[in-house]
Amino acid sequence: MPDNRAAPTLPKTPTGIAGFDDLTFGGLPAGRPSLICGAAGCGKTLFATTFLVNGATRYDEPGVFMSFEERAEDLAANVASLGYDLDGLVAAGKLAIDHVRVEPSEIEETGAFDLEGLFIRLGFAVDGIGAKRVVLDTIETLFAGFTDLSLLRAELRRLFGWIKDRGLTAIITGERGEGQLTRQGLEEYVSDCVILLDHRVTDQITTRRLRVVKYRGSAHGTNEYPFLIDHAGISVLPVTSAELDYAVPTGVIATGIPDLDSMLGPGGFYRGSSILVSGASGTGKTMLVATIVDAACRRGERCLVFAFEESGAQIIRNAASIGLDLESHRARGLLRFEAARPSLYGLETHLARMHRDLDGFEPRMVVIDPISALRGPAGELQGMLLRMIDLIKARGITAIFTTLRSDGSLVQDDDLGVSSLMDSWIKLQNMEANGERTRTLYVIKARGMSHSNQIREFLMSSSGIQLVDAYIGPSGVLTGTARIVQEAQERSEARRRIQESERQLREVARRRSAIDRQLEELRASLEAAEAEEACLRAETASRTADDADERRALMARRSAAE
């Protein structure tokens, strides 16, 4: 019979580092040593310090930091900019920092040499504050004077065994070696968990990545994950691609442009959808998006704007020219701008930064303006944009992406397949005719809803954005003054037709009146003729009667004479 009992899980100690605990399903192995390795400047010491600080402040687990390179005061000064008060934690008895000076030239390596003195010193610090967490930074310095690999391996195993016997969750940092994870190549084999940090430079842009090389007794993410180090500390993007199983929010959001809403069947876009606004430079992409953001903030929704070409202050100033007061929304905490040049970070770092900001601000709407400003190899750029879209859609956030298109076509070689990932696509285009340039707008697609397929002229003024019907005739689409002239001609022609129709109606009325008069005359003549006819008939009848009476009288006289 199958055993339905749940399999035992490996106890884990959370690090408190955003994203890292997710990809390791709980953190580092509890009561075991973990190795953090990488080249200089990749963030090993900061990772370890964050592990100790979070343990002391969030999980009530005191820690010991034993440094073989940095002094305690230097370490405290280096992490103070992140808001870590190491001196305060030491004073509160939640953290102990011990600097052990190791000079390889002073070490006399003999077969009887061991780390007993280190164990005593470390054990005293652990017992002094009841530590649950330990950091040794870095192990290469401790073993720099050893040349006997058998002795080094034995002491490493002894050190790791001592940590396990004491039930301490430990981080041991190590420098990256040539062709192996560490210089000695031994720590990675005796550690229960190995984390590799990498700080690479591509096209003069740096990117930090993290990979869990091994994790005994536990499943873990095996890919490379970007991580970010800034004033907020360390944050790791835990996913490389989201599954398509996220919930679909319900409801429709208005754009703040009634004419645009009328072009969409439900009267707006679906909440939680991804919207692409594309167009050449100067077509009004940012102002269109600013209007949608203004409408969202007026509904009381948080909006987060990632700007790669303009500062937040510049966008606010420009939006004021069309009657939008974005500054009031920012003052109320509903609108936040995160502006940075695309070259400031690598692609993955931008993604990690967005992940952290989404979790911190919890917006209902996100704007990325523009995604075409991001630079990198085509494959990496497409993968980053795909993860960005999935990251936002998985949270049910309405996302608006703008992209610069250098021509008027619907498809470009540098599209990177982003348009196919979008739920709706609005295209803005400049049209030049008769010595002037006008803007047009049309909806290329809107999944799940009916939408207008007409081209609308796009006007911006101090009263906002307005869409007007473009003239479509045998000669093509007319916009701007050409549309105005054509409409004036059509109005003049309409007036002429009306006047001609009215003239014809007056002529018909005159003719009808004349005919009516003729009819009245004819009717009067007819009545006269009928009266004359009746009179003649009466006279004839009277004369006939008189003749008959005379004949009868004459016959009577004759008869009497006879």
Side-chain angles (χ1 to χ4, degrees):
M1 295 181 62
D3 187 0
N4 295 326
R5 292 176 299 177
T9 59
L10 181 69
K12 296 184 179 182
T13 298
T15 64
I17 297 176
F20 178 80
D21 293 339
D22 295 328
L23 66 93
T24 54
F25 303 103
L28 298 175
R32 299 186 181 186
S34 298
L35 176 65
I36 307 295
C37 55
C42 64
K44 301 184 297 297
T45 301
L46 181 58
F47 188 101
T49 305
T50 303
F51 167 73
L52 287 184
V53 171
N54 288 338
T57 58
R58 298 186 186 181
Y59 307 110
D60 194 25
E61 293 186 357
V64 173
F65 192 106
M66 181 164 284
S67 172
F68 304 110
E69 292 183 342
E70 290 184 278
R71 297 177 301 174
E73 54 270 25
D74 295 335
L75 179 64
N78 292 339
V79 298
S81 61
L82 303 178
Y84 296 163
D85 184 10
L86 298 189
D87 294 333
L89 293 175
V90 171
K94 294 184 178 181
L95 185 66
I97 303 177
D98 190 6
H99 175 241
V100 179
R101 178 175 175 272
V102 178
E103 288 293 339
S105 60
E106 299 177 3
I107 296 177
E108 183 178 355
E109 184 179 348
T110 65
F113 180 81
D114 55 33
L115 298 179
E116 192 63 35
L118 175 65
F119 297 153
I120 295 175
R121 190 165 178 172
L122 183 58
F124 178 79
V126 169
D127 296 337
I129 62 172
K132 301 295 183 181
R133 304 184 179 204
V134 170
V135 169
L136 302 180
D137 182 46
T138 65
I139 199 170
E140 277 80 14
T141 304
L142 180 62
F143 293 106
F146 297 116
T147 57
D148 188 346
L149 292 181
S150 61
L151 177 60
L152 176 59
R153 182 184 294 270
E155 290 304 301
L156 276 174
R157 292 188 180 277
R158 187 178 175 213
L159 173 61
F160 284 26
W162 184 90
I163 291 174
K164 291 182 179 180
D165 292 341
R166 297 294 295 264
L168 300 172
T169 304
I171 285 182
I172 301 172
T173 65
E175 295 290 341
R176 186 72 181 267
E178 295 292 336
Q180 51 194 6
L181 296 179
T182 58
R183 292 182 183 177
Q184 310 298 338
L186 302 176
E187 305 93 321
E188 57 202 75
Y189 296 104
V190 297
S191 300
D192 290 274
C193 178
V194 178
I195 310 297
L196 176 62
L197 304 183
D198 184 28
H199 191 193
R200 66 188 65 172
V201 179
T202 304
D203 294 333
Q204 300 181 356
I205 298 177
T206 64
T207 303
R208 301 178 187 271
R209 297 175 186 266
L210 177 149
R211 180 166 65 94
V212 181
V213 178
K214 78 171 184 178
Y215 200 132
R216 288 174 180 165
S218 173
H220 58 87
T222 57
N223 296 326
E224 282 192 327
Y225 303 91
F227 72 97
L228 180 64
I229 297 178
D230 61 3
H231 65 279
I234 297 180
S235 57
V236 182
L237 182 62
V239 293
T240 54
S241 61
E243 297 180 358
L244 298 177
D245 58 354
Y246 40 77
V248 179
T250 58
V252 176
I253 58 172
T255 63
I257 307 173
D259 298 320
L260 178 57
D261 293 336
S262 66
M263 298 179 67
L264 305 170
F269 292 106
Y270 287 132
R271 186 175 297 279
S273 60
S274 55
I275 305 164
L276 178 65
V277 179
S278 67
S281 179
T283 53
K285 301 183 296 298
T286 302
M287 291 300 98
L288 176 66
V289 172
T291 304
I292 300 176
V293 167
D294 176 73
C297 292
R298 291 180 182 274
R299 294 191 297 266
E301 301 176 3
R302 292 174 178 262
C303 296
L304 179 59
V305 178
F306 294 100
F308 296 115
E309 290 184 343
E310 298 178 277
S311 67
Q314 185 175 357
I315 295 175
I316 291 175
R317 183 205 63 187
N318 295 342
S321 65
I322 60 172
L324 301 180
D325 184 11
L326 299 184
E327 179 60 35
S328 62
H329 302 318
R330 184 165 69 170
R332 293 165 54 199
L334 294 176
L335 178 60
R336 177 178 168 186
F337 290 92
E338 290 293 336
R341 285 295 181 188
S343 57
L344 182 60
Y345 308 113
L347 292 174
E348 299 293 353
T349 306
H350 276 296
L351 188 59
R353 169 173 163 260
M354 291 180 183
H355 182 276
R356 183 201 61 197
D357 292 337
L358 290 176
D359 289 342
F361 191 63
E362 297 182 352
R364 297 293 301 277
M365 180 178 290
V366 169
V367 174
I368 292 89
D369 178 37
I371 58 176
S372 54
L374 298 171
R375 293 292 180 265
E380 293 184 12
L381 182 57
Q382 184 177 22
M384 180 265 189
L385 293 175
L386 174 62
R387 281 182 280 171
M388 180 193 301
I389 296 170
D390 284 340
L391 176 67
I392 296 174
K393 292 180 74 70
R395 287 163 169 74
I397 300 172
T398 304
I400 304 177
F401 303 85
T402 68
T403 182
L404 177 67
R405 305 185 73 85
S406 58
D407 60 6
S409 65
L410 295 181
V411 179
Q412 283 188 197
D413 294 337
D414 59 353
D415 186 70
L416 296 174
V418 175
S419 59
S420 64
L421 302 175
M422 298 295 164
D423 298 310
S424 300
W425 185 2
I426 298 176
K427 188 170 187 293
L428 306 180
Q429 187 173 358
N430 286 324
M431 299 186 67
E432 297 182 4
N434 300 325
E436 68 173 3
R437 176 177 59 87
T438 56
R439 301 180 178 92
T440 58
L441 176 150
Y442 54 99
V443 180
I444 295 180
K445 74 172 182 178
R447 288 173 178 164
M449 67 177 73
S450 60
H451 60 87
S452 172
N453 60 355
Q454 294 184 349
I455 298 176
R456 305 287 296 275
E457 188 173 347
F458 177 56
L459 301 178
M460 292 189 295
S461 65
S462 58
S463 58
I465 291 178
Q466 181 184 6
L467 303 182
V468 296
D469 293 330
Y471 177 83
I472 302 177
S475 59
V477 179
L478 299 180
T479 60
T481 57
R483 172 183 57 80
I484 295 175
V485 171
Q486 180 64 31
E487 290 177 347
Q489 291 176 352
E490 290 182 352
R491 288 193 296 269
S492 177
E493 180 65 22
R495 286 195 298 268
R496 189 195 63 77
R497 288 196 300 267
I498 293 174
Q499 292 173 355
E500 178 65 21
S501 178
E502 291 176 348
R503 186 193 64 77
Q504 292 177 355
L505 288 175
R506 288 194 300 269
E507 178 66 22
V508 170
R510 185 190 62 78
R511 292 171 56 191
R512 182 183 181 87
S513 178
I515 293 173
D516 286 342
R517 286 195 302 271
Q518 292 176 1
L519 288 175
E520 289 295 332
E521 293 175 356
L522 292 174
R523 190 176 293 110
S525 298
L526 179 61
E527 291 177 354
E530 288 177 348
E532 184 178 359
E533 181 183 4
C535 183
L536 291 174
R537 289 182 183 278
E539 291 178 356
T540 301
S542 176
R543 186 180 299 110
T544 302
D546 292 344
D547 291 344
D549 291 343
E550 291 179 355
R551 282 196 298 273
R552 284 193 298 270
L554 181 61
M555 291 178 64
R557 285 196 297 271
R558 289 179 178 174
S559 298
E562 291 178 359

